[in-house]
Amino acid sequence: MSSKYRFHKVSPSFWTDRKVMSWDDDTRMLALYIMTCEHRSTEGLFRLPKAYICADIGWTPERLEIPFSILLRDGFIQYDETVSVMLLTNALKWNPTDNDKHAIGAAK
């Protein structure tokens, strides 16, 4: 399931968010990847196997483990290991819809 949008904007407030400021570089990189990857949907619920993450950003599963657990711990994401489904919990906060048509599409 890939996004039909070519890109996702990142709010400048991402960089001044208290949680984000407390994260190390790998955790910030992973958060940015999840917010902007081609697999992401506007509403933030999408299938994203961990192997895709590793392949896309060139990390080993071992390197992914700690930043992934930090994002889970801090509520930035939720993840169902059984079906590899990611929920970017504040997807619309970080990338709000641009107009009514966009919002209707996200709701569908």
Side-chain angles (χ1 to χ4, degrees), residues 90-108:
N90 288 316
L92 294 174
K93 172 187 173 186
W94 298 115
N95 191 10
T97 57
D98 292 325
N99 54 52
D100 290 342
K101 288 177 86 174
H102 191 195
I104 290 167
K108 286 183 181 180

Side-chain angles (χ1 to χ4, degrees), residues 12-67:
S13 65
F14 173 82
W15 299 107
T16 56
D17 182 271
R18 286 180 188 241
K19 262 187 227 175
V20 174
M21 291 174 66
S22 73
W23 294 338
D24 61 36
D25 289 343
D26 275 0
T27 305
R28 283 190 206 111
M29 168 75 167
L30 180 58
L32 283 170
Y33 166 79
I34 291 168
M35 292 189 326
T36 61
C37 72
E38 67 178 321
H39 314 288
R40 187 195 153 190
S41 64
T42 298
E43 65 282 359
L45 182 65
F46 52 102
R47 186 169 181 277
L48 184 61
K50 290 180 179 179
Y52 288 11
I53 299 169
C54 292
D56 287 347
I57 60 178
W59 286 2
T60 63
E62 294 78 21
R63 184 173 178 186
L64 176 64
E65 192 174 315
I66 291 173

